[in-house]
Amino acid sequence: MAEWMIYGANGYAGSLLAREAVARGLTPVLAGRNQKAVADLAAELKLQARHFRLDDANATRQGVEGMSIVVHCAGPFSATSQPMIDACLQNQCHYLDITGEIDVFVAAQSRHNEATEANIVICPGVGFDVIPTDCIAARLKEAMPDADRLALGFDSRSSFSPGTARTSVEGLKYGGRIRKDDKIKTVPLAYQSRDIDFGNGTKHAVTIPWGDIATAWFSTGIDDIEVFIPMAPSAATRLRRLDRLRPLLGLPPVQALLKHLVGRRILGPDSSQREKARTYVWGEAQNRAGKKITARIQTANGYDVTTEGALFAVEFLRQNEPAPGYYTPSRLLGSDCIEKLPGSGEMHLE
């Protein structure tokens, strides 16, 4: 069967994915920017390794040669997704990634026609960003076809991986974001607040710039979308004050310092911590008449969802031949795919 690749295999999420793939008898090619780290992991897992940097277009094209699928795990995806998609288009290789970055989703969707011509699938976000919330969005739209407002959210006490932390630092300079009247709108951090029962009791929650601001629109066509996480009112107040410093936070030296600090201090949760930090995912659709439908599901820890979701997507593409083009996870894998992942419960609508 044709080979597939994990790029960024030596990172936190990439290594989890590589180890679980091997545990299932799969043999992905491991690749990344750090030659020694990738080679060491490949030797440990008895897998092939490749080394190339994404800032060298020719090397990236050659690095992807012979692959049928790439699972791209090396962020920040704002810098790395375009060159990898370029290489996948040139090699007629399906592209998957685990991003949660709004602009990356928008850019990937803009390449739908190129993907169709190259006969490949482009499906970013096949991890916790954004499989659970995308499936909830799709199911709510199925249950309420005339919905014109959508709110999504999740409650997780999981700690960050180094890559997620660096991406979060990068996102500070963009502020908050929502979709309003069919347009992605920049708003202050912690822009809206409300009380939400994510499935484990009612909590104060605020809006965050989550990937569904882009993907849920592609999946549902709903024009007004917000995404929430729990946050104590005092913490939300501090975040709103921090919003005034956004011009400073966006300066390259400040970004570099903050990313360096989080990269040194954050390691990512171990297996025991992931097992204890399950996730509660929620969504609410509303139509013009004011009728509402709510959906909830409990899933495994976000990093375990990312591992399982990426492998689910790989196996789907190895066993099926979907029409080429851009997809969201629910459009490619089905709106019930989150329920098929280990650690997930049943989605409940009310």
Side-chain angles (χ1 to χ4, degrees):
M1 188 171 286
E3 292 187 286
W4 61 285
M5 171 183 287
I6 302 171
Y7 187 85
N10 57 296
Y12 179 82
S15 63
L16 289 178
L17 177 56
R19 293 180 187 282
E20 183 59 27
V22 169
R24 298 185 186 187
L26 302 174
T27 56
V29 174
L30 305 187
R33 297 166 287 199
N34 187 323
Q35 185 172 11
K36 184 180 185 306
V38 171
D40 288 348
L41 181 61
E44 177 191 344
L45 299 179
K46 298 179 173 58
L47 297 173
Q48 296 180 49
R50 295 185 184 183
H51 166 250
F52 56 94
R53 296 180 59 87
L54 299 180
D55 55 6
D56 184 332
N58 190 50
T60 305
R61 177 184 58 78
Q62 292 178 353
V64 174
E65 281 183 358
M67 297 296 106
S68 63
I69 305 165
V70 167
V71 184
H72 182 37
C73 300
F77 295 92
S78 57
T80 65
S81 61
Q82 179 181 328
M84 183 59 84
I85 290 176
D86 289 343
C88 287
L89 288 166
Q90 292 163 352
N91 284 281
Q92 295 186 298
C93 168
H94 298 309
Y95 172 90
L96 305 171
D97 74 27
I98 57 170
T99 190
E101 298 170 47
I102 295 169
D103 294 329
V104 173
F105 289 119
V106 174
Q109 195 278 334
S110 73
R111 309 194 76 170
H112 173 77
N113 291 339
E114 293 176 79
T116 300
E117 292 172 5
N119 197 35
I120 69 166
V121 163
I122 293 177
C123 184
V126 295
F128 184 78
D129 307 12
V130 289
I131 285 179
T133 40
D134 192 50
C135 287
I136 277 188
R139 291 282 285 279
L140 286 171
K141 179 65 174 180
E142 291 166 8
M144 182 180 279
D146 63 341
D148 67 342
R149 296 183 64 185
L150 177 66
L152 301 165
F154 58 93
D155 181 8
S156 173
R157 294 181 178 85
S158 177
S159 58
F160 281 174
S161 72
T164 302
R166 284 191 289 266
T167 298
S168 298
V169 166
E170 185 169 298
L172 286 174
K173 62 186 178 184
Y174 298 115
R177 296 167 98 177
I178 63 172
R179 182 176 285 275
K180 181 69 175 175
D181 298 329
D182 193 24
K183 289 182 174 57
I184 295 174
K185 180 181 177 183
T186 298
V187 295
L189 296 169
Y191 174 64
Q192 296 281 13
S193 62
R194 59 180 288 186
D195 291 334
I196 297 172
D197 180 0
F198 294 90
N200 60 341
T202 300
K203 298 180 180 180
H204 185 77
V206 300
T207 49
I208 60 169
W210 201 246
D212 298 274
I213 301 304
T215 52
W217 182 82
F218 297 138
S219 295
T220 69
I222 295 174
D223 292 338
D224 288 8
I225 304 170
E226 297 174 340
V227 183
F228 292 83
I229 60 167
M231 185 175 293
S234 58
T237 298
R238 289 194 296 271
L239 192 58
R240 293 185 184 107
R241 289 173 181 163
L242 182 65
D243 190 75
R244 302 169 191 167
L245 300 177
R246 263 200 290 140
L248 176 63
L249 294 172
L251 294 175
V254 176
Q255 283 279 309
L257 174 62
L258 292 174
K259 289 178 182 179
H260 173 71
L261 291 174
V262 300
R264 289 182 57 190
R265 298 178 180 179
I266 294 178
L267 301 176
D270 60 27
S271 59
S272 174
Q273 292 168 330
R274 294 196 307 273
E275 178 65 29
K276 295 175 183 176
R278 294 178 58 78
T279 306
Y280 298 85
V281 189
W282 163 92
E284 177 188 86
Q286 180 176 336
N287 64 13
R288 293 186 185 279
K291 181 181 177 181
K292 297 180 181 180
I293 297 181
T294 300
R296 294 182 180 87
I297 186 171
Q298 186 179 163
T299 74
N301 178 274
Y303 291 106
D304 292 332
V305 170
T306 294
T307 298
E308 298 292 348
L311 287 173
F312 188 92
V314 168
E315 287 301 295
F316 179 87
L317 290 175
R318 283 159 61 96
Q319 297 173 16
N320 298 275
E321 295 185 7
Y326 167 85
Y327 287 86
T328 60
S330 69
R331 288 254 174 133
L332 179 66
L333 307 172
S335 62
D336 62 345
C337 70
I338 182 58
E339 296 172 276
K340 298 177 181 178
L341 301 186
S344 289
E346 181 181 352
M347 190 182 299
H348 296 282
L349 275 70
E350 58 186 45

